[in-house]
Amino acid sequence: MSTKVQVLGDKDFYEINPEIKKYALLDVGFQETKQGNFRLERPINGNSPYDARYVLKITINKDFDNLKMATTDKSGLHNLNIFKSKNTAQEVEDFRYLMNFLIEKNILVKR
C-alpha cells in the first residue's frame, strides 16, 4: 500500500482525498473487509457488460492514509496493462470514467 498509486501503464497518479468519509466509500460500492479496510472491485466492460475482460481493484486502509490499485484479469490473479494494446481503447475509456467518478465523489484525487 502507498499514499500515491498508479495503475500499470497509466501516466496518472492517484491519492486518497484528504476529505474522504467512510459513508462516501460505502455509497460508491466499497465493501468493508474483516480487517476494517475498504475494497472496491469493478469490471472494466469494454464493448459488452457481460464479458468484462478486466477488473479494477482498489483497496483503502482503515486509517484512510494508504491505498492500493490494480487492473487485473477476470480471475484477479494477474495485473495487466490495459494501456499497451490497441484493441483496449474502450476499456481505457471505461477505466477513465470509473476514475473520474471516484474523483467527483471525493474519494480520490488525481496528481
Side-chain angles (χ1 to χ4, degrees), residues 62-73:
K62 61 184 172 186
D63 298 325
F64 304 129
D65 58 0
N66 284 313
L67 84 145
K68 182 168 68 170
M69 185 167 49
T71 51
T72 66
D73 59 358

Side-chain angles (χ1 to χ4, degrees), residues 74-104:
K74 282 193 267 189
S75 70
L77 300 175
H78 307 284
N79 286 346
L80 299 174
N81 183 349
I82 64 170
F83 298 92
K84 72 177 181 180
S85 179
K86 292 179 183 171
N87 57 358
T88 60
Q90 185 65 41
E91 283 87 354
V92 171
E93 185 178 325
D94 289 347
F95 169 77
R96 295 280 182 227
Y97 176 81
L98 288 170
M99 298 311 295
N100 287 333
F101 174 74
L102 293 173
I103 290 168
E104 288 174 8

Side-chain angles (χ1 to χ4, degrees), residues 15 19 40 43 51 55 67-68 75 79:
E15 294 178 351
E19 299 173 9
L40 177 73
D51 188 30
V55 176
L67 84 145
K68 182 168 68 170
S75 70
N79 286 346

